[in-house]
Amino acid sequence: MTQGAGADGDVRKGPPQIEKVAKHLFDVSLDLICIANTEQYFVAVNPAWEHTLGFTRQELMSRPYTDFVHPDDLNATVGESDRLYQGVPVLQFRNRYRDTDGRWHWLSWQAFPGDDGHVYAIAREVTAEVESELQLKARETRVTFLLGEVQRARQEERERLAGEIHDFALQHTLAALMNMEVLEGLLHDADHTRALQIANRSIGLLRNAIGSTRSVLQGLSPLELQKSSLRDAILRFVDEASRSWGVEISCHIPSEIQLAPEHQVVTYRLLSEGITNAAKHSAGTRVQVGAKVEDGCLRCWVEDDGSGFPAPVLDGTYEPIELGGMGLPLMREQLNAIGGELSLGVSHELGGASLRFKVPTEPAEA
Amino acid sequence: MLSWVSPTPLTAVLVDDHEVMREALRMQLESIDALQIVAEAVDGIEGLARIHEMQPQVAFVDVNMPGLSGLALAARVRELGLATRIVLFTAFDDREMRARALAAGAWGFVPKGAGLGELRQLAERLRGECSAPEALS
């Protein structure tokens, strides 16, 4: 800093000596300034090094600077050093240095080869900036992953719906149509007894097709929840499933369930999937459905007296895409999204499959 | 050898993994005098076994089945050199599927829900082919 003329104008000092200014800047700089030799030792470091890393200047100069560098950055650091000693300046380089507590500090370097064989370098700590970048990158990776998961789940859902409609609604409707063809012939031949049998069978097939179509539509958008409580919606689903698939379903759901709207939708979907699976695919005749509030969670279960889950499903070595339609991965995904959990096992009471899950009664914090 | 027209109906095997569809197909096919169902199978693998075992003159086979699809079954019957004619059934009637069915070696392709008239015509064509002199060789 220059000092101007005094008030009397008779005192004027000469320009500051550059070496003195440089020394002063060296001492007060917040950036890390250093001079290194070809043996990879610091020969001078400014006080900012001590403030940043906690080592004394003597400690920093007593061993190769590579001793302080993060192992993952070592090769790159040595490579940049070699380039410097070949006369090539370093303008953008980052590596990590260890402090006395073992924490790593990201440094961004500018370094120049000197005429005297030394390297003159300035580093700025950019740990916060790098961590922000890494967090941003991690978020981007997470977003990409989640988008992929959404795509996968949508595709699974489309396939599930296509399968559901093809295997039930379409087959039953086609079968009813084909029966009608036969019926027409029988009426023509005046075989009324057989015609009546086939007409009744066709009515049954069409009822099944309607039930299956309703089930698919309810799974798509549980309209039931918009016009009634979760309990009433489940009871209606149980009633429909029992009539459609001819199984005995007992249901015990508390009258008062306080759940966030999105938790209600997931609960309804999982229970309806579980009930559909038990009623249609378990080869059993009895199903028990229940729920109770316990420890801040709504605990739900669907159990049957059917053939049970295959062993690989129970021991976790195989997770079927198809399980009553929605598939276990999608069930887990929907539960995970709201902080719930799914477990599969053997029903102690009925001996068949046991599907249990819990849903927090309070929404997860964002 | 001179041609000989069989007075008996054609023997047929029915293969479909949907029980309601097997039942409806059975009722339709049984109402056609030209056909007699001699066995049914609930999937492609069992269907191939029944065809191999019973050597029916025709097999009505669903296209979409777990394990061995109708297309794969038709191809396997051809590879094995069996004389059974395969008629593929599917809920989806489209040109590509018909082409794939014929490429796989199927004799015919019928959409599920086809009218009895169409099935009768198909049965008559089958009977005509099966009773032709070359079919007896």
Side-chain angles (χ1 to χ4, degrees):
Chain A
M1 184 181 292
T2 59
Q3 189 169 349
D8 54 2
D10 59 353
V11 177
R12 182 174 292 277
K13 294 186 176 175
Q17 293 176 323
I18 193 70
E19 290 81 6
K20 197 172 176 182
V21 172
K23 176 71 172 71
H24 184 63
L25 290 175
F26 185 82
D27 286 340
V28 300
S29 171
L30 295 176
D31 289 340
L32 290 74
I33 304 172
C34 63
I35 303 169
N37 64 18
T38 52
E39 281 76 45
Q40 300 183 332
Y41 277 73
F42 292 131
V43 295
V45 292
N46 71 341
W49 282 90
E50 295 180 317
H51 299 148
T52 304
L53 300 182
F55 293 108
T56 65
R57 281 188 270 188
Q58 287 70 30
E59 285 173 320
L60 287 162
M61 292 188 289
S62 66
R63 40 192 168 141
Y65 55 75
T66 47
D67 281 9
F68 301 96
V69 173
H70 192 288
D72 291 349
D73 300 335
L74 205 52
N75 284 342
T77 302
V78 171
E80 291 297 322
S81 299
D82 290 346
R83 282 158 53 83
L84 273 166
Y85 294 122
Q86 289 163 15
V88 182
V90 170
L91 300 177
Q92 283 288 337
F93 175 65
R94 285 175 173 179
N95 63 3
R96 281 161 288 183
Y97 269 66
R98 179 171 45 86
D99 69 15
T100 48
D101 293 329
R103 289 175 303 195
W104 295 100
H105 296 250
W106 278 100
L107 302 182
S108 176
W109 290 88
Q110 285 194 17
F112 303 90
D115 297 336
D116 55 0
H118 288 101
V119 163
Y120 295 79
I122 302 175
R124 173 164 293 179
E125 172 152 25
V126 289
T127 304
E129 188 183 331
V130 171
E131 282 177 353
S132 293
E133 287 172 10
L134 291 173
Q135 281 177 3
L136 189 64
K137 199 171 177 182
R139 276 198 203 107
E140 284 172 358
T141 306
R142 178 74 182 151
V143 166
T144 306
F145 170 76
L146 288 175
L147 283 174
E149 287 292 289
V150 168
Q151 284 291 97
R152 185 183 62 74
R154 285 180 62 186
Q155 181 59 28
E156 273 179 18
E157 185 68 358
R158 277 196 289 268
E159 287 170 8
R160 179 187 79 78
L161 287 172
E164 188 85 0
I165 292 167
H166 175 271
D167 287 351
F168 295 97
L170 184 59
Q171 300 297 326
H172 285 73
T173 311
L174 283 170
L177 173 67
M178 291 153 77
N179 284 359
M180 294 296 179
E181 288 271 345
V182 176
L183 185 61
E184 189 183 33
L186 292 168
L187 288 172
H188 187 264
D189 298 341
D191 185 352
H192 292 137
T193 307
R194 181 73 178 134
L196 195 61
Q197 287 173 351
I198 292 179
N200 283 334
R201 178 63 183 140
S202 300
I203 289 167
L205 287 168
L206 287 172
R207 280 194 202 287
N208 284 347
I210 291 165
S212 173
T213 307
R214 281 187 181 143
S215 168
V216 170
L217 290 174
Q218 282 177 346
L220 270 179
S221 172
L223 295 174
E224 294 290 325
L225 287 179
Q226 293 176 17
K227 59 187 182 191
S228 63
S229 69
L230 174 62
R231 180 177 187 272
D232 289 347
I234 293 167
L235 290 176
R236 263 199 299 278
F237 190 90
V238 163
D239 187 46
E240 182 84 30
S242 182
R243 280 192 284 111
S244 293
W245 312 112
V247 293
E248 177 193 330
I249 307 178
S250 64
C251 186
H252 301 283
I253 306 283
S255 55
E256 288 294 323
I257 302 174
Q258 300 292 330
L259 282 181
E262 67 269 30
H263 292 200
Q264 287 195 32
V265 170
V266 172
T267 303
Y268 179 80
R269 281 190 173 148
L270 263 72
L271 275 176
S272 56
E273 286 294 330
I275 293 165
T276 304
N277 181 51
K280 272 182 11 185
H281 305 298
S282 74
T285 57
R286 286 173 62 206
V287 179
Q288 285 183 359
V289 181
K292 65 178 175 182
V293 178
E294 195 176 82
D295 301 330
C297 288
L298 179 69
R299 296 176 185 273
C300 305
W301 61 90
V302 179
E303 300 191 339
D304 61 62
D305 63 347
S307 51
F309 293 117
V313 173
L314 291 179
D315 66 24
T317 52
Y318 173 63
E319 183 136 292
I321 296 298
E322 297 278 340
L323 181 76
M326 184 186 277
L328 282 177
L330 199 57
M331 281 187 176
R332 285 193 201 284
E333 199 172 295
Q334 293 202 358
L335 276 172
N336 288 343
I338 59 168
E341 282 177 26
L342 177 76
S343 64
L344 306 175
V346 178
S347 168
H348 294 302
E349 193 170 336
L350 299 179
S354 168
L355 181 145
R356 289 176 173 265
F357 62 91
K358 64 178 182 180
V359 176
T361 50
E362 295 295 326
E365 287 182 17
Chain B
M1 177 75 73
L2 295 174
S3 66
W4 168 76
V5 178
S6 168
T8 55
L10 296 173
T11 52
V13 163
L14 185 53
V15 187
D16 198 311
D17 58 320
H18 292 102
E19 189 182 347
V20 293
M21 191 50 65
R22 281 201 311 278
E23 180 192 279
L25 280 170
R26 187 194 316 127
M27 280 198 284
Q28 274 202 327
L29 297 175
E30 280 177 344
S31 72
I32 299 171
D33 294 337
L35 295 168
Q36 181 195 2
I37 295 168
V38 293
E40 291 183 18
V42 301
D43 57 39
I45 293 168
E46 189 191 353
L48 184 61
R50 293 285 88 76
I51 291 167
H52 196 260
E53 170 194 340
M54 308 192 77
Q55 307 267 326
Q57 286 158 301
V58 59
F60 293 92
V61 180
D62 182 27
V63 170
N64 289 310
M65 288 186 294
L68 191 68
S69 73
L71 293 169
L73 186 148
R76 194 77 189 106
V77 166
R78 186 168 62 174
E79 283 167 16
L80 291 170
L82 301 174
T84 302
R85 284 158 171 79
I86 303 296
V87 177
L88 288 173
F89 268 91
T90 180
F92 298 99
D93 179 17
D94 63 63
R95 196 175 294 173
E96 187 192 336
M97 184 56 80
R98 282 177 184 262
R100 288 175 63 195
L102 296 177
W107 180 87
F109 178 93
V110 180
K112 285 179 179 174
L116 268 176
E118 189 177 340
L119 288 176
R120 283 200 182 93
Q121 284 179 4
L122 181 132
E124 288 307 320
R125 277 175 50 219
L126 270 167
R127 188 144 72 171
E129 275 207 18
C130 291
S131 59
E134 61 271 27
L136 300 174
S137 59

